[in-house]
Amino acid sequence: QVQLMESGGGVVQPGRSLRLSCAASGFIFNTYAMNWVRQAPGKGLEWVAVISYDGINKYYADSVKGRFTISRDNSKNTVYLQMNSLRAEDTAVYYCARPKGGNYGAPFDYWGQGTRVTVSS
Amino acid sequence: EIVLTQSPGTLSLSPGERATLSCRASQSVSNNYLAWYQQKPGQAPRLLISGASSRATAIPDRISGSGSGTDFTLTISRLEPEDFAVYYCQQYGTLPSTFGQGTKLEIK
Protein backbone atom coordinates (compact mmCIF):
# COMPACT_ATOMS: atom_id res chain seq x y z
CA GLN A 1 0.00 0.00 0.00
CA VAL A 2 1.07 3.57 -0.62
CA GLN A 3 2.81 5.17 2.32
CA LEU A 4 4.38 8.60 2.75
CA MET A 5 6.31 9.35 5.91
CA GLU A 6 7.65 12.78 6.71
CA SER A 7 10.43 13.51 9.16
CA GLY A 8 12.79 16.30 10.13
CA GLY A 9 10.44 18.74 11.79
CA GLY A 10 11.21 20.50 15.03
CA VAL A 11 11.73 23.82 16.75
CA VAL A 12 14.13 26.22 15.05
CA GLN A 13 15.08 29.85 15.55
CA PRO A 14 14.18 32.50 12.99
CA GLY A 15 16.76 32.78 10.25
CA ARG A 16 17.97 29.20 10.68
CA SER A 17 17.53 26.21 8.37
CA LEU A 18 15.80 22.85 8.47
CA ARG A 19 15.52 19.97 6.02
CA LEU A 20 12.39 17.85 5.81
CA SER A 21 12.28 14.38 4.29
CA CYS A 22 9.43 12.32 2.94
CA ALA A 23 10.04 8.61 2.45
CA ALA A 24 7.72 6.94 -0.02
CA SER A 25 6.78 3.31 -0.50
CA GLY A 26 4.18 1.18 -2.21
CA PHE A 27 4.35 2.79 -5.65
CA ILE A 28 6.84 3.46 -8.43
CA PHE A 29 8.27 6.62 -6.95
CA ASN A 30 10.36 7.69 -9.94
CA THR A 31 7.27 8.02 -12.12
CA TYR A 32 5.47 10.50 -9.84
CA ALA A 33 5.86 14.21 -9.27
CA MET A 34 5.73 15.06 -5.57
CA ASN A 35 4.39 18.01 -3.61
CA TRP A 36 4.80 19.70 -0.26
CA VAL A 37 1.75 21.32 1.36
CA ARG A 38 1.69 23.10 4.71
CA GLN A 39 -0.90 24.06 7.28
CA ALA A 40 -0.29 26.75 9.87
CA PRO A 41 -1.86 26.18 13.30
CA GLY A 42 -5.63 26.54 13.06
CA LYS A 43 -5.41 27.62 9.43
CA GLY A 44 -6.07 26.20 5.99
CA LEU A 45 -3.90 24.35 3.50
CA GLU A 46 -1.19 26.08 1.49
CA TRP A 47 0.60 24.45 -1.42
CA VAL A 48 4.36 24.97 -1.09
CA ALA A 49 6.25 23.27 -3.90
CA VAL A 50 6.25 20.52 -6.52
CA ILE A 51 9.04 18.57 -8.20
CA SER A 52 8.80 16.56 -11.39
CA TYR A 53 9.32 12.80 -11.43
CA ASP A 54 12.91 13.23 -12.66
CA GLY A 55 13.79 16.16 -10.42
CA ILE A 56 14.36 18.54 -13.32
CA ASN A 57 11.35 20.82 -12.96
CA LYS A 58 10.49 22.55 -9.70
CA TYR A 59 7.87 25.14 -8.84
CA TYR A 60 7.31 27.10 -5.66
CA ALA A 61 4.74 29.24 -3.94
CA ASP A 62 5.73 32.90 -3.92
CA SER A 63 5.80 32.83 -0.12
CA VAL A 64 8.79 30.44 -0.11
CA LYS A 65 10.50 31.16 -3.41
CA GLY A 66 14.20 31.84 -2.95
CA ARG A 67 14.21 30.38 0.58
CA PHE A 68 12.98 26.80 0.13
CA THR A 69 14.34 24.14 -2.22
CA ILE A 70 12.58 20.93 -3.16
CA SER A 71 14.68 17.97 -4.30
CA ARG A 72 14.45 14.21 -4.57
CA ASP A 73 16.58 11.10 -4.54
CA ASN A 74 14.88 8.43 -6.61
CA SER A 75 17.38 5.81 -5.45
CA LYS A 76 16.08 6.35 -1.92
CA ASN A 77 12.42 6.97 -2.80
CA THR A 78 12.63 10.22 -0.88
CA VAL A 79 11.66 13.84 -1.51
CA TYR A 80 13.17 16.67 0.50
CA LEU A 81 12.35 20.24 1.41
CA GLN A 82 15.32 22.38 2.36
CA MET A 83 14.05 25.39 4.27
CA ASN A 84 16.40 28.33 4.75
CA SER A 85 15.95 31.78 6.32
CA LEU A 86 12.99 30.50 8.28
CA ARG A 87 10.40 32.95 9.55
CA ALA A 88 7.73 32.75 12.21
CA GLU A 89 5.11 32.54 9.48
CA ASP A 90 6.67 29.28 8.24
CA THR A 91 5.41 27.59 11.42
CA ALA A 92 3.13 24.81 10.22
CA VAL A 93 2.58 21.12 9.76
CA TYR A 94 4.26 20.13 6.52
CA TYR A 95 2.76 17.34 4.43
CA CYS A 96 4.13 15.60 1.41
CA ALA A 97 1.46 14.63 -1.08
CA ARG A 98 1.37 12.45 -4.15
CA PRO A 99 -0.50 13.58 -7.27
CA LYS A 100 -2.94 11.01 -8.61
CA GLY A 101 -1.52 9.52 -11.78
CA GLY A 102 1.82 11.20 -11.24
CA ASN A 103 1.51 14.48 -13.12
CA TYR A 104 1.53 18.09 -11.91
CA GLY A 105 -2.05 18.72 -12.92
CA ALA A 106 -3.57 16.17 -10.62
CA PRO A 107 -5.27 16.12 -7.23
CA PHE A 108 -3.41 14.69 -4.26
CA ASP A 109 -4.58 11.16 -3.58
CA TYR A 110 -2.11 10.23 -0.86
CA TRP A 111 -0.73 12.35 1.95
CA GLY A 112 1.77 11.72 4.70
CA GLN A 113 0.90 12.21 8.35
CA GLY A 114 2.79 15.51 8.46
CA THR A 115 5.78 16.84 10.36
CA ARG A 116 5.53 19.91 12.58
CA VAL A 117 7.87 22.86 12.15
CA THR A 118 7.92 25.62 14.74
CA VAL A 119 9.96 28.74 14.11
CA SER A 120 10.49 30.58 17.36
CA SER A 121 13.22 32.26 19.33
CA GLU B 1 -2.80 33.03 -8.86
CA ILE B 2 -6.34 31.70 -8.72
CA VAL B 3 -8.08 32.61 -5.47
CA LEU B 4 -10.71 30.17 -4.22
CA THR B 5 -13.39 31.47 -1.87
CA GLN B 6 -15.45 28.95 0.07
CA SER B 7 -18.79 29.59 1.67
CA PRO B 8 -20.13 29.41 4.21
CA GLY B 9 -17.25 29.51 6.68
CA THR B 10 -19.20 27.30 9.08
CA LEU B 11 -22.25 25.18 8.40
CA SER B 12 -24.29 23.82 11.31
CA LEU B 13 -26.53 20.90 10.42
CA SER B 14 -27.95 17.73 11.93
CA PRO B 15 -27.30 14.13 10.88
CA GLY B 16 -29.62 13.16 8.05
CA GLU B 17 -29.76 16.68 6.62
CA ARG B 18 -28.34 17.82 3.29
CA ALA B 19 -25.16 19.90 3.14
CA THR B 20 -24.26 22.22 0.29
CA LEU B 21 -20.78 23.76 0.24
CA SER B 22 -19.66 26.34 -2.29
CA CYS B 23 -16.29 27.13 -3.86
CA ARG B 24 -15.92 30.14 -6.15
CA ALA B 25 -12.79 30.81 -8.20
CA SER B 26 -11.41 34.24 -9.12
CA GLN B 27 -10.95 33.01 -12.69
CA SER B 28 -11.99 29.97 -14.66
CA VAL B 29 -10.44 26.73 -13.41
CA SER B 30 -8.54 25.06 -16.22
CA ASN B 31 -10.25 21.87 -17.43
CA ASN B 32 -12.44 22.04 -14.30
CA TYR B 33 -9.49 20.67 -12.36
CA LEU B 34 -11.19 21.20 -9.02
CA ALA B 35 -10.86 18.84 -6.09
CA TRP B 36 -12.54 18.57 -2.70
CA TYR B 37 -10.89 17.25 0.45
CA GLN B 38 -12.14 16.35 3.90
CA GLN B 39 -9.95 16.91 6.94
CA LYS B 40 -10.60 15.78 10.49
CA PRO B 41 -8.66 17.07 13.53
CA GLY B 42 -5.14 15.72 13.71
CA GLN B 43 -5.40 13.99 10.34
CA ALA B 44 -4.15 14.64 6.84
CA PRO B 45 -6.66 15.71 4.22
CA ARG B 46 -8.53 13.00 2.33
CA LEU B 47 -9.39 13.31 -1.35
CA LEU B 48 -13.14 13.15 -1.98
CA ILE B 49 -13.73 14.56 -5.47
CA SER B 50 -11.54 15.36 -8.45
CA GLY B 51 -12.30 16.88 -11.83
CA ALA B 52 -15.18 18.72 -10.14
CA SER B 53 -17.43 15.67 -10.05
CA SER B 54 -15.53 12.37 -9.98
CA ARG B 55 -15.61 10.56 -6.68
CA ALA B 56 -12.34 9.19 -5.37
CA THR B 57 -11.93 5.56 -4.41
CA ALA B 58 -14.23 4.39 -1.59
CA ILE B 59 -16.12 7.68 -1.36
CA PRO B 60 -19.85 6.96 -0.88
CA ASP B 61 -22.33 8.16 -3.50
CA ARG B 62 -24.11 10.43 -1.02
CA ILE B 63 -21.12 12.74 -1.56
CA SER B 64 -21.14 14.48 -4.93
CA GLY B 65 -19.48 17.37 -6.68
CA SER B 66 -20.73 19.63 -9.43
CA GLY B 67 -19.98 22.85 -11.21
CA SER B 68 -17.71 24.26 -13.86
CA GLY B 69 -15.75 27.35 -14.75
CA THR B 70 -15.70 29.44 -11.58
CA ASP B 71 -18.52 27.97 -9.48
CA PHE B 72 -18.36 24.59 -7.82
CA THR B 73 -20.42 22.77 -5.22
CA LEU B 74 -19.92 19.84 -2.89
CA THR B 75 -23.13 18.18 -1.77
CA ILE B 76 -23.58 15.61 0.96
CA SER B 77 -27.11 14.32 0.57
CA ARG B 78 -27.67 12.72 3.99
CA LEU B 79 -25.19 13.65 6.66
CA GLU B 80 -23.64 10.85 8.68
CA PRO B 81 -21.82 11.49 11.99
CA GLU B 82 -18.46 10.88 10.28
CA ASP B 83 -19.09 13.70 7.78
CA PHE B 84 -18.61 16.46 10.34
CA ALA B 85 -15.20 17.87 9.48
CA VAL B 86 -13.53 20.68 7.54
CA TYR B 87 -13.77 20.66 3.75
CA TYR B 88 -11.36 22.31 1.33
CA CYS B 89 -11.54 22.88 -2.39
CA GLN B 90 -8.37 22.98 -4.49
CA GLN B 91 -7.67 23.95 -8.05
CA TYR B 92 -4.82 21.97 -9.59
CA GLY B 93 -5.08 23.04 -13.19
CA THR B 94 -2.79 26.04 -12.92
CA LEU B 95 0.39 26.50 -10.90
CA PRO B 96 0.50 27.59 -8.19
CA SER B 97 -2.13 25.16 -7.06
CA THR B 98 -4.39 26.90 -4.55
CA PHE B 99 -6.82 25.90 -1.82
CA GLY B 100 -9.90 27.56 -0.48
CA GLN B 101 -9.92 28.67 3.14
CA GLY B 102 -12.20 25.81 4.17
CA THR B 103 -15.75 25.22 5.36
CA LYS B 104 -16.28 23.72 8.78
CA LEU B 105 -19.25 21.39 8.89
CA GLU B 106 -20.39 21.08 12.49
CA ILE B 107 -23.14 19.24 14.28
CA LYS B 108 -26.09 21.43 15.15
Side-chain angles (χ1 to χ4, degrees):
Chain A
Q1 71 282 22
V2 173
Q3 288 193 326
L4 300 171
M5 184 151 310
E6 303 93 339
S7 60
V11 180
V12 61
Q13 293 179 327
R16 302 298 290 263
S17 300
L18 205 59
R19 188 177 84 156
L20 306 182
S21 300
C22 170
S25 60
F27 64 102
I28 304 174
F29 182 73
N30 63 11
T31 65
Y32 281 79
M34 290 296 294
N35 294 267
W36 286 96
V37 177
R38 68 184 181 182
Q39 186 169 35
K43 302 297 184 182
L45 302 167
E46 180 187 16
W47 174 81
V48 173
V50 63
I51 186 168
S52 60
Y53 70 97
D54 55 4
I56 292 176
N57 296 304
K58 307 172 186 182
Y59 301 93
Y60 300 92
D62 285 346
S63 57
V64 306
K65 200 173 294 182
R67 300 187 300 121
F68 290 13
T69 301
I70 189 171
S71 62
R72 65 191 295 158
D73 184 339
N74 284 345
S75 69
K76 295 182 178 179
N77 285 2
T78 300
V79 61
Y80 303 98
L81 187 67
Q82 177 68 42
M83 305 186 295
N84 298 332
S85 303
L86 282 162
R87 306 167 180 167
E89 54 263 36
D90 296 318
T91 294
V93 173
Y94 285 74
Y95 296 100
C96 62
R98 188 190 86 159
K100 182 179 178 182
N103 297 321
Y104 297 139
F108 305 155
D109 61 352
Y110 285 93
W111 299 64
Q113 85 290 347
T115 188
R116 187 174 302 274
V117 173
T118 302
V119 183
S120 173
S121 53
Chain B
E1 72 176 43
I2 297 177
V3 176
L4 299 180
T5 302
Q6 292 186 240
S7 61
T10 302
L11 187 56
S12 300
L13 293 170
S14 300
E17 291 193 295
R18 180 185 186 92
T20 302
L21 287 66
S22 174
C23 176
R24 178 162 290 178
S26 60
Q27 57 188 276
S28 186
V29 174
S30 176
N31 296 310
N32 292 326
Y33 281 176
L34 193 287
W36 289 93
Y37 298 85
Q38 177 194 69
Q39 187 179 33
K40 296 181 178 179
Q43 297 184 14
R46 174 192 181 196
L47 178 66
L48 301 176
I49 299 286
S50 63
S53 60
S54 297
R55 271 185 295 275
T57 303
I59 302 304
D61 59 8
R62 57 193 176 77
I63 294 176
S64 62
S66 63
S68 65
T70 60
D71 288 291
F72 300 89
T73 300
L74 179 73
T75 302
I76 307 174
S77 59
R78 296 172 309 279
L79 285 167
E80 298 285 345
E82 62 266 27
D83 296 330
F84 293 92
V86 179
Y87 292 82
Y88 295 95
C89 58
Q90 176 210 18
Q91 69 79 21
Y92 52 90
T94 303
L95 287 177
S97 177
T98 49
F99 291 88
Q101 83 280 14
T103 290
K104 181 179 181 180
L105 179 55
E106 64 176 25
I107 299 177
K108 188 173 181 180

